[in-house]
Amino acid sequence: IYVGAIRTMWKWAYDQEQWEKQIGRPRKIELSVPSKTPVVAPTWADCDRMISCLHPAYGAFRACVIMRLTGLRVTQASSLRIEDFDLTAKTLTVRGELGKSAAERSGRIIPVPDQLIEFVRHWAGEQKTGGLVGAGHIRQSAFNAWKRAGIRPELWQARPCHAFRKAYETELFDRGANMLRVEYLVGHALPGELSTYVAPRTPALLEVIAQVAPVRITDGSLRSGGLITA
């Protein structure tokens, strides 16, 4: 961005008569591109081991379950409200104000796995409105849980919450899911003019949601409510 702005100013100054003797002809600026390392991501099994290290009564547990089942960003997952979910239609409204990118800020309604709907019912109880996750140090709790679970640090250490998003996309890719639909579900901009012309419909998105494996934890205390199975 900065280099582009400098070159634009350079070209503008070169065309001004008062500086024609001081400003040299604009030249293309060659930038060295840093080498990229291969992408690594945890598996859903890794994520489930990590979630099993969180106490189910705390907000970090809820946020991580949401991220595991939807691929949402931590800022989105932690800001969800009960009323964002339609428990009958089994959909989630991801409000535009929670978005990071321009594509996300337009908002979207997406179907979600049945297991998440059951979690929301359990968490909400008799409440119809209000926050789902609550306050808390989610990133630090996630970091500690990954460490306790014994998952290889390179899979999560740099971004302990974003690792769920990478796991979501990677696992669905491995299962042969339609990646354009996956991109829509996680809030990425579709390529070309697709964002302008394509209105994703629920049946097509449900084909992807059906491929999302449920959260599975072996801790008996967490399975007592029937929401998580081994």
Side-chain angles (χ1 to χ4, degrees):
I1 295 175
Y2 296 118
V3 172
I6 291 170
R7 193 162 188 271
T8 298
M9 179 60 75
W10 186 2
K11 292 172 66 177
W12 174 83
Y14 178 74
D15 289 333
Q16 306 306 306
E17 292 184 3
Q18 65 267 37
W19 294 317
E20 62 182 357
K21 293 183 180 180
Q22 287 80 30
I23 305 296
R25 179 176 61 81
R27 294 173 174 81
K28 184 177 180 180
I29 301 174
E30 298 291 345
L31 297 177
S32 59
V33 179
S35 59
K36 295 182 66 175
T37 57
V39 175
V40 293
T43 64
W44 275 332
D46 292 333
C47 294
D48 293 349
R49 285 173 57 192
M50 177 273 200
I51 292 173
S52 71
C53 293
L54 293 165
H55 195 289
Y58 296 149
F61 174 86
R62 296 185 179 189
C64 289
V65 166
I66 293 169
M67 290 187 288
R68 159 69 168 78
L69 292 172
T70 64
L72 289 180
R73 302 180 190 277
V74 63
T75 50
Q76 296 168 327
S78 60
S79 300
L80 291 180
R81 300 180 61 81
I82 297 170
E83 57 266 36
D84 292 330
F85 289 86
D86 184 326
L87 300 182
T88 302
K90 299 180 181 180
T91 60
L92 165 63
T93 297
V94 185
R95 288 171 279 124
E97 65 264 28
L98 303 181
K100 176 181 178 181
S101 65
E104 289 178 322
R105 287 193 292 272
S106 63
R108 64 194 187 281
I109 299 176
I110 58 174
V112 294
D114 290 349
Q115 189 187 38
L116 181 54
I117 294 298
E118 293 306 311
F119 268 115
V120 174
R121 285 199 177 102
H122 177 72
W123 294 334
E126 298 300 317
Q127 291 181 262
K128 301 298 181 184
T129 63
L132 272 176
V133 173
H137 303 288
I138 295 174
R139 288 183 175 85
Q140 186 59 53
S141 296
F143 183 95
N144 294 339
W146 282 115
K147 192 172 182 179
R148 286 196 297 272
I151 307 301
R152 290 188 292 130
E154 61 268 27
L155 299 178
W156 57 267
Q157 196 166 48
R159 305 178 75 180
C161 290
H162 205 71
F164 285 98
R165 194 168 170 88
K166 294 174 73 173
Y168 186 86
E169 292 217 53
T170 300
E171 287 278 5
L172 287 173
F173 178 87
D174 288 346
R175 285 161 170 74
N178 182 301
M179 292 309 291
L180 286 179
R181 296 171 186 172
V182 174
E183 291 287 86
Y184 176 81
L185 287 169
V186 300
H188 288 159
L190 299 181
E193 295 296 320
L194 292 180
S195 295
T196 302
Y197 290 100
V198 173
R201 296 189 173 97
T202 298
L205 297 177
L206 283 172
E207 292 181 9
V208 177
I209 296 303
Q211 297 179 70
V212 177
V215 176
R216 297 184 181 277
I217 299 177
T218 57
D219 186 328
S221 64
L222 299 185
R223 290 189 283 115
S224 60
L227 294 175
I228 305 177
T229 59

Coordinates of all heavy atoms in Angstrom, one line a residue, residues 26 28 35 50 56 60-61 86 88 90 93 107-108 117 120 124 131 139-140 153 155 160 175-176 191 195 197 230:
P26 N 9.7 8.2 -13.4 CA 9.2 7.1 -12.5 C 9.6 5.7 -13.1 O 9.6 5.5 -14.3 CB 7.7 7.2 -12.5 CG 7.5 8.6 -12.9 CD 8.6 9.0 -13.9
K28 N 9.6 1.3 -12.3 CA 8.9 0.3 -11.6 C 9.8 -0.1 -10.4 O 11.0 -0.3 -10.5 CB 8.7 -0.9 -12.5 CG 8.0 -2.1 -11.8 CD 7.7 -3.2 -12.8 CE 7.0 -4.4 -12.2 NZ 6.7 -5.5 -13.1
S35 N 9.6 -15.5 1.3 CA 9.2 -16.9 1.1 C 8.1 -17.3 2.1 O 8.1 -16.9 3.2 CB 10.4 -17.8 1.2 OG 10.9 -17.7 2.5
M50 N -8.4 -30.2 22.6 CA -8.1 -29.0 23.2 C -9.4 -28.5 24.0 O -9.3 -28.1 25.1 CB -7.8 -27.9 22.1 CG -7.6 -26.5 22.6 SD -9.1 -25.6 22.7 CE -8.5 -23.9 22.7
P56 N -16.5 -26.5 31.0 CA -17.7 -26.2 30.2 C -18.6 -25.0 30.7 O -19.4 -24.5 30.0 CB -18.5 -27.5 30.2 CG -18.0 -28.2 31.4 CD -16.6 -27.8 31.5
A60 N -14.8 -19.4 27.5 CA -13.8 -19.9 26.5 C -14.3 -21.2 25.9 O -14.1 -21.5 24.7 CB -12.4 -20.0 27.2
F61 N -14.9 -22.0 26.7 CA -15.4 -23.3 26.2 C -16.4 -23.1 25.2 O -16.4 -23.6 24.1 CB -16.0 -24.1 27.4 CG -16.7 -25.4 27.0 CD1 -15.9 -26.6 26.8 CD2 -18.0 -25.4 26.7 CE1 -16.5 -27.8 26.4 CE2 -18.6 -26.6 26.3 CZ -17.9 -27.8 26.2
D86 N -31.7 -18.7 15.0 CA -33.1 -19.2 14.8 C -33.1 -20.7 15.1 O -32.6 -21.5 14.3 CB -33.5 -18.9 13.4 CG -35.0 -19.2 13.2 OD1 -35.5 -20.2 13.8 OD2 -35.6 -18.5 12.4
T88 N -35.4 -22.8 15.4 CA -36.3 -23.6 14.6 C -35.7 -23.8 13.2 O -35.7 -25.0 12.7 CB -37.7 -22.9 14.4 OG1 -38.2 -22.7 15.8 CG2 -38.6 -23.8 13.6
K90 N -32.6 -23.4 12.4 CA -31.3 -23.9 12.6 C -30.3 -23.0 11.8 O -29.4 -23.5 11.1 CB -31.1 -25.4 12.3 CG -32.0 -26.3 13.1 CD -31.8 -27.7 12.7 CE -32.7 -28.6 13.6 NZ -32.6 -30.0 13.3
T93 N -27.5 -15.7 12.3 CA -27.3 -14.4 11.6 C -26.0 -13.9 12.1 O -25.8 -13.6 13.3 CB -28.4 -13.4 11.9 OG1 -29.6 -13.9 11.4 CG2 -28.1 -12.1 11.3
G107 N -22.8 -8.8 6.4 CA -23.6 -9.7 7.2 C -24.1 -10.9 6.4 O -24.0 -10.8 5.1
R108 N -24.5 -11.9 7.0 CA -25.0 -13.1 6.3 C -25.8 -14.0 7.3 O -25.6 -13.9 8.5 CB -23.8 -13.9 5.7 CG -22.8 -14.5 6.7 CD -21.6 -15.0 6.0 NE -20.7 -15.7 6.9 CZ -19.9 -15.1 7.8 NH1 -19.9 -13.8 7.9 NH2 -19.1 -15.9 8.5
I117 N -26.9 -26.0 17.6 CA -28.3 -25.6 18.0 C -28.6 -26.2 19.4 O -29.2 -25.5 20.3 CB -29.3 -26.0 17.0 CG1 -29.1 -25.3 15.7 CG2 -30.7 -25.8 17.5 CD1 -29.3 -23.8 15.8
V120 N -26.7 -24.2 22.0 CA -27.3 -22.9 22.3 C -28.6 -23.0 23.1 O -28.8 -22.2 24.1 CB -27.6 -22.2 20.9 CG1 -28.4 -20.9 21.2 CG2 -26.4 -21.9 20.2
A124 N -28.7 -21.2 26.7 CA -29.7 -20.1 26.8 C -30.7 -20.4 27.9 O -31.1 -19.5 28.6 CB -30.4 -19.9 25.5
G131 N -26.1 -12.2 25.7 CA -24.9 -12.8 25.1 C -24.8 -14.2 25.5 O -25.2 -14.7 26.5
R139 N -8.5 -15.8 24.5 CA -7.3 -16.1 23.8 C -6.3 -16.8 24.7 O -5.7 -17.8 24.4 CB -6.7 -14.9 23.1 CG -7.5 -14.4 21.9 CD -6.8 -13.2 21.2 NE -7.4 -12.8 20.0 CZ -8.4 -12.0 20.0 NH1 -8.9 -11.5 21.1 NH2 -9.0 -11.6 18.8
Q140 N -6.2 -16.3 25.9 CA -5.2 -16.8 26.9 C -5.7 -18.2 27.3 O -4.9 -19.2 27.5 CB -5.1 -15.9 28.1 CG -4.0 -16.4 29.1 CD -2.6 -16.5 28.4 OE1 -2.1 -15.6 27.8 NE2 -2.0 -17.7 28.6
P153 N 2.8 -27.4 18.9 CA 2.7 -25.9 19.0 C 2.6 -25.2 17.6 O 1.9 -24.2 17.5 CB 4.0 -25.5 19.7 CG 4.4 -26.7 20.6 CD 4.0 -27.8 19.7
L155 N 1.0 -25.9 15.2 CA -0.4 -25.9 14.7 C -1.3 -24.8 15.2 O -2.3 -24.5 14.6 CB -1.0 -27.3 14.9 CG -0.3 -28.5 14.4 CD1 -1.1 -29.8 14.8 CD2 -0.2 -28.4 12.8
P160 N -3.9 -19.0 18.6 CA -4.6 -20.1 19.2 C -6.1 -20.2 19.0 O -6.7 -21.2 19.1 CB -4.3 -19.9 20.7 CG -4.0 -18.5 20.9 CD -3.3 -18.1 19.6
R175 N -12.5 -33.3 3.0 CA -13.7 -34.1 2.8 C -14.4 -33.9 1.4 O -15.5 -34.4 1.2 CB -14.7 -33.8 3.9 CG -14.3 -34.5 5.2 CD -15.0 -33.8 6.4 NE -14.9 -34.6 7.7 CZ -13.7 -34.7 8.3 NH1 -12.7 -34.0 7.9 NH2 -13.6 -35.4 9.4
G176 N -13.8 -33.0 0.6 CA -14.3 -32.8 -0.7 C -15.4 -31.8 -0.8 O -16.2 -31.8 -1.8
P191 N -14.6 -15.0 -5.2 CA -13.7 -14.5 -6.3 C -14.6 -13.8 -7.4 O -15.7 -14.1 -7.6 CB -13.0 -15.7 -6.8 CG -13.8 -16.9 -6.5 CD -14.5 -16.5 -5.2
S195 N -19.6 -12.4 -5.7 CA -20.2 -11.8 -4.5 C -21.4 -10.9 -4.9 O -22.3 -10.6 -4.2 CB -19.2 -11.0 -3.7 OG -18.2 -11.8 -3.2
Y197 N -23.3 -11.4 -7.8 CA -24.4 -12.1 -8.5 C -24.9 -13.4 -7.8 O -26.0 -13.9 -8.2 CB -23.9 -12.5 -9.9 CG -23.7 -11.3 -10.8 CD1 -22.5 -10.7 -11.0 CD2 -24.9 -10.7 -11.4 CE1 -22.4 -9.6 -11.8 CE2 -24.7 -9.6 -12.2 CZ -23.5 -9.0 -12.4 OH -23.4 -7.9 -13.2
A230 N -18.5 -39.3 23.0 CA -17.1 -39.9 22.8 C -17.0 -40.4 21.4 O -18.0 -40.7 20.7 CB -16.8 -40.9 23.8

